Amino acid sequence: MIKLTKLFRVALVGFMFLILIIVTSCNSGDNSKNVSTDFVQPEALTKNISTEQNNISSVERKIIKSGNIRFETQSVKETQEFIRNIVSEFGGYLGNEDVYNFEDRIEHTIEVRVPEDKFNVLVDKISSSVEKLESKNISTTDVTEDFLDVEARIKTKKELEARYKEILKKATRVDEILNIEREMGNLRSEIESLEGRMNYLKNRIALSSLTITFYEKVSSPFGFFSKIKQALYNGWNAFLWFIIILISLWPFIIIILITLLVILKLLKKKKITQ
């Protein structure tokens, strides 16, 4: 009976030990499951990296638009007025304007600046309103990299300038103060130069430029007296060129003259001997 009790106790202990092993293995299985679940980090990192790349690539492009257009018109005055009105309507302005009077035509060249979003509309509207379009050239220049570079350099130099100001407040020696102020002066000059470049880029990006050339053909009279005057002028110029050519050929002229003199002397001697 005692042996059976001892066997029962041993079996009970073994059974409890078996249950403990099973429970421990289940917990370890759950832990491994949790570890494998928590280890899905690379996918999240890849997603974050791709998001950052998309943000970088989605930077607004900085584009400078420009162009020129040339055409013939029936009236330069009406065309000039039409261009003034349409440019004013689009919120732009007229820049340089040149007028040339030729014998057969009157030609105007106007440079206009309009907001970037109105540039293509302006070109299309002018092109569609003319009867004879001779040429049209449109160009775009991407200055995004240059713009971001200048922007970053301004930021860096301004931060450095702020540090110099803090150091200047703590400086006590005269030579230190003078050195810091000299460096700050050079830095301020660089910042102003970069800011000038930035303002130029912003202006060119915001306002596109278009050079418009248009002309009106005119009938010119014969102009008898003006043609006589021109003929006299051309003849005088021809005479001057003739003198210049003679002067440039002086060695050959001297050789010819000497040759003629020798021939004449030989002929005289021949006549005397006869």
Side-chain angles (χ1 to χ4, degrees):
M1 185 70 181
I2 294 173
K3 291 182 177 180
L4 291 174
T5 304
K6 289 181 178 181
L7 290 173
F8 178 76
R9 289 178 178 177
V10 170
L12 181 61
V13 171
F15 180 73
M16 292 177 66
F17 183 72
L18 180 62
I19 292 174
L20 181 62
I21 291 173
I22 293 172
V23 172
T24 303
S25 63
C26 290
N27 289 333
S28 64
D30 292 339
N31 291 334
S32 64
K33 183 178 180 181
N34 292 333
V35 170
S36 62
T37 303
D38 295 336
F39 192 67
V40 188
Q41 296 296 331
E43 296 180 359
L45 291 174
T46 304
K47 185 177 181 181
N48 291 334
I49 292 172
S50 62
T51 302
E52 293 178 358
Q53 291 176 345
N54 290 332
N55 291 334
I56 294 174
S57 62
S58 62
V59 173
E60 183 182 358
R61 311 306 297 178
K62 307 298 181 181
I63 306 296
I64 295 177
K65 294 181 180 180
S66 61
N68 58 76
I69 187 171
R70 179 183 176 86
F71 57 89
E72 180 184 350
T73 180
Q74 298 298 324
S75 173
V76 291
K77 290 184 178 180
E78 293 180 1
T79 302
Q80 184 181 24
E81 188 66 22
F82 168 75
I83 292 174
R84 290 181 183 275
N85 292 335
I86 190 174
V87 170
S88 177
E89 177 186 346
F90 288 162
Y93 66 90
L94 273 65
N96 298 329
E97 183 174 357
D98 299 314
V99 180
Y100 304 96
N101 288 317
F102 299 102
E103 290 186 0
D104 60 339
R105 69 184 186 278
I106 301 174
E107 183 173 296
H108 285 230
T109 298
I110 302 176
E111 182 179 353
V112 302
R113 303 289 303 278
V114 292
E116 179 271 335
D117 57 337
K118 298 289 194 290
F119 179 76
N120 293 333
V121 181
L122 174 67
V123 174
D124 293 340
K125 196 162 186 177
I126 294 177
S127 301
S128 61
S129 64
V130 302
E131 296 181 0
K132 185 178 180 181
L133 181 64
E134 290 191 0
S135 63
K136 179 174 72 173
N137 298 305
I138 306 299
S139 63
T140 58
T141 305
D142 190 341
V143 295
T144 306
E145 185 176 352
D146 190 14
F147 186 91
L148 296 178
D149 176 65
V150 174
E151 189 177 46
R153 290 169 64 187
I154 291 175
K155 181 180 178 182
T156 301
K157 291 186 181 296
K158 283 188 174 181
E159 291 175 354
L160 183 58
E161 185 182 36
R163 293 178 187 174
Y164 275 131
K165 290 180 180 178
E166 293 297 326
I167 296 173
L168 184 62
K169 292 178 182 178
K170 300 176 182 179
T172 56
R173 291 164 47 187
V174 176
D175 58 341
E176 290 179 348
I177 295 174
L178 292 177
N179 289 334
I180 294 172
E181 287 180 346
R182 183 174 62 254
E183 293 296 329
M184 289 180 64
N186 295 334
L187 192 60
R188 172 46 49 184
S189 177
E190 294 176 3
I191 291 173
E192 290 177 355
S193 176
L194 290 171
E195 287 178 340
R197 173 64 178 170
M198 175 63 74
N199 292 333
Y200 170 78
L201 290 174
K202 287 182 178 179
N203 181 265
R204 292 296 306 276
I205 292 168
L207 294 173
S208 302
S209 62
L210 178 66
T211 301
I212 307 170
T213 302
F214 53 96
Y215 64 92
E216 176 186 352
K217 288 186 176 180
V218 294
S219 57
S220 58
F222 182 76
F224 177 76
F225 292 103
S226 62
K227 283 183 169 46
I228 290 179
K229 182 180 177 181
Q230 186 65 36
L232 292 173
Y233 176 77
N234 293 337
W236 176 251
N237 284 338
F239 176 72
L240 294 177
W241 275 110
F242 177 73
I243 294 175
I244 292 173
I245 292 172
L246 288 178
I247 293 173
S248 63
L249 295 175
W250 67 267
F252 302 98
I253 295 173
I254 291 175
I255 293 172
I256 293 171
L257 291 175
I258 293 173
T259 304
L260 290 174
L261 289 174
V262 170
I263 293 173
L264 289 174
K265 286 183 179 181
L266 290 175
L267 290 174
K268 286 180 178 179
K269 287 180 179 182
K270 187 176 180 180
K271 287 181 179 180
I272 292 171
T273 55
Q274 289 179 354

